[in-house]
Amino acid sequence: MTSNWAAAERVGVDGSPASLAAIRWGAAMAARREAPLHLVHAIGVPVHALPVIGSFTVRYQRIP
């Protein structure tokens, strides 16, 4: 299996039936290509929560 970030299949997930279908599709495509599958979920953070979040170490990876 390749571990190259550029070769990975990426699927956005929001819990909807359409996104669950997209996960199945992405998994099949990743398996065919022998590539990793990255599931991506984004949330909005209220401004008043930023001081609390800023007190923790946050891990993130920039998606090209």
Side-chain angles (χ1 to χ4, degrees):
M1 181 191 290
T2 185
S3 62
N4 185 349
W5 174 259
E9 193 70 44
R10 292 173 196 83
V11 177
V13 180
D14 65 5
S16 68
S19 76
L20 298 177
I23 292 170
R24 287 190 287 276
W25 178 85
M29 293 301 293
R32 284 187 201 130
R33 294 177 41 229
E34 296 184 4
L37 174 63
H38 294 266
L39 303 179
V40 180
H41 181 77
I43 60 169
V45 178
V47 175
H48 69 304
L50 290 177
V52 174
I53 293 172
S55 65
F56 296 98
T57 301
V58 178
R59 287 183 48 201
Y60 66 90
Q61 202 168 25
R62 184 167 184 243
I63 299 174

